[in-house]
Amino acid sequence: MSASAAAAAFQDHYGRPPEGIWSAPGRVNLMGEHTDYNQGYVLPLAINRRARVAAALRPGGLLRMATTAGGAPAEVRVEDLRPGVLEGWSRYAAGVPWAFGLRGAEVPGMDILLDSDVPVGAGLSSSAAVECAVALALNDLADTGFSRDDMVLLCQQAENEFAGAPTGILDQSASLLAAEGQALFLDCRTRASRLVPLNLAEAGLVLLVIDTRVSHAHDSGGYAQRRLDCERAAGSLGLESLRDIDLSGLVLAAGTLETTQYRRARHVVSENARVLAVVEHLETGRPPARLGPLLDAGHESLRDDFEVSCPELDLAVDAAKAAGALGARMTGGGFGGSAIALVRRDDAGRVGAAVTRAFSRSGYTAPDLFPVEPGPAAARDA
Ligand code: GLA
């Protein structure tokens, strides 16, 4: 939906025009999965799918939220905002004013209408997109003066504590800090970041998202369990985090870890190295088409060592590669969600058709396939 259509939907719902329209993108992560909460490296890009928020202040301290996606409207008094008072999609919107309030901001009442084309549960950060769009809207309307870096943490806090998903800073950083035609290289320990050129179109390439339609949720057990595994592995190694060891060090220390901990650690440590390898590859101007083997290695590590893939993701990756993809891997937290495949533009149709056929042969729900481009970060649209 365009910005003007979102304004019209706001007018329809609330009977008055919005004061502005803000939008924030979902993301795919090119490399660096489950490294963010281990103080490691990530390399996401914002995608050309966005959550759009039309909003206006309202007197009297009431926060009202509605969505075009069919979820129920919700309302809550700003003074009553606390974890647990809301359920469903509105937690992601309402968690942001709650987090702003905790940081000492004067949070006013507001009417919000959400319209998003980031698929929900697809591992493309639909929730972070909502949070970041609301954060920009609130920051502008209430003049709270937070920087984008501040808002990354405020949105993460909303997601962790208000929505109850113990995630890292990957998604909110991508949505607020990425840029068109680039990937965002972020050090999650220091929070230093820089943009890395990722001109896929110029190289005749397409990044194909394969949404398996297996819905994931990071407020359920698997994601939190992986975090715990990693913390315990770091603890057994006497380290602050798995960021503090490289692969040869880990091999030498193998005896101090039980098998599962060792494999979890090996994923994180090797994935950090893969992020650095991709960044070096792109920054030294080597062809993005040659990134395929690194993508493949990332998937194998997530599948075998970290065990966050699932049969549908593995099939998406294998079928895409068999049909000519240069490389493919799951993206995001896993347990469902999406894979990405790097393909030559001319092969995209063939690869997509082959993946769809493979899903049908296995009796899986048909996947949703679409190309993504590194798009712009969250912004005010109107
Ligand atoms: C989810 C979380 C992120 C990150 C990824 C895995 O998307 O929201 O913080 O941990 O999983 O890389």
Side-chain angles (χ1 to χ4, degrees):
M1 190 186 272
S2 64
S4 56
F10 183 100
Q11 169 84 46
D12 261 9
H13 191 86
Y14 294 111
R16 63 183 180 127
E19 289 177 57
I21 314 282
W22 295 259
S23 68
R27 60 100 190 91
V28 296
N29 194 12
L30 196 57
M31 193 63 77
E33 226 62 86
H34 291 273
T35 48
D36 60 351
Y37 54 80
N38 288 299
Q39 301 188 12
Y41 305 114
V42 293
L43 188 65
L45 47 126
I47 59 175
N48 43 334
R49 298 267 182 142
R50 300 174 78 87
R52 188 160 271 128
V53 158
L57 295 179
R58 49 172 294 122
L62 189 64
L63 174 65
R64 299 196 295 181
M65 296 159 285
T67 168
T68 58
E75 60 176 62
V76 59
R77 300 197 60 73
V78 170
E79 69 203 32
D80 294 336
L81 279 172
R82 74 183 67 82
V85 295
L86 292 167
E87 286 186 353
W89 74 274
S90 62
R91 288 173 303 161
Y92 299 110
V96 174
W98 168 79
F100 273 48
L102 285 189
R103 274 278 207 103
E106 282 286 329
V107 177
M110 202 160 61
D111 286 338
I112 289 174
L113 181 117
L114 167 70
D115 177 69
S116 178
D117 65 0
V118 188
V120 172
L124 302 174
S125 297
S126 59
S127 54
V130 173
E131 292 151 11
C132 295
V134 170
L136 282 195
L138 181 56
N139 204 40
D140 278 358
L141 289 177
D143 209 9
T144 38
F146 289 120
S147 68
R148 285 187 178 237
D149 281 339
D150 293 332
M151 286 189 275
V152 166
L153 293 185
L154 290 167
C155 291
Q156 185 204 13
Q157 187 176 14
E159 173 116 12
N160 291 171
E161 296 172 35
F162 200 88
T167 51
I169 60 167
L170 166 66
D171 308 342
Q172 294 80 8
S173 301
S175 192
L176 284 163
L177 306 176
E180 199 162 357
Q182 331 227 30
L184 176 79
F185 172 42
L186 171 69
D187 178 336
C188 300
R189 169 170 276 172
T190 63
R191 297 185 64 221
S193 68
R194 67 175 184 264
L195 295 166
V196 174
L198 184 66
N199 216 323
L200 296 174
E202 209 169 76
L205 299 172
V206 167
L207 202 56
L208 198 61
V209 168
I210 307 163
D211 172 5
T212 62
R213 316 274 295 276
V214 178
S215 187
H216 77 126
H218 296 325
D219 48 2
S220 51
Y223 184 94
Q225 182 59 48
R226 294 303 179 282
R227 274 193 87 137
L228 206 62
D229 291 346
C230 292
E231 277 160 28
R232 290 200 175 130
S236 305
L237 293 164
L239 304 172
E240 185 194 332
S241 83
L242 292 174
R243 162 69 176 275
D244 297 311
I245 193 164
D246 64 10
L247 209 45
S248 51
L250 184 65
V251 170
L252 288 175
T256 47
L257 297 179
E258 47 110 341
T259 319
T260 302
Q261 278 184 354
Y262 180 71
R263 286 192 292 124
R264 302 293 187 252
R266 186 167 57 186
H267 165 69
V268 173
V269 170
S270 64
E271 185 83 346
N272 277 331
R274 280 186 290 274
V275 173
L276 297 180
V278 175
V279 169
E280 199 199 336
H281 186 103
L282 292 171
E283 287 187 335
T284 52
R286 273 134 75 197
R290 301 242 180 94
L291 288 173
L294 281 167
L295 298 180
D296 297 345
H299 186 75
E300 282 155 28
S301 179
L302 286 158
R303 182 191 64 199
D304 301 336
D305 275 351
F306 218 63
E307 296 182 281
V308 291
S309 188
C310 64
E312 292 85 350
L313 282 169
D314 293 340
L315 181 64
V317 164
D318 292 344
K321 288 198 302 184
L326 301 163
R329 44 164 271 156
M330 52 157 278
T331 192
F335 305 104
S338 298
I340 48 173
L342 185 66
V343 295
R344 292 191 204 287
R345 194 185 300 120
D346 296 344
D347 294 341
R350 192 157 51 84
V351 169
V355 172
T356 303
R357 263 198 317 276
F359 269 58
S360 157
R361 270 202 302 271
S362 298
Y364 297 155
T365 305
D368 190 16
L369 289 127
F370 51 92
V372 288
E373 276 158 30
R380 184 170 190 155
D381 296 337

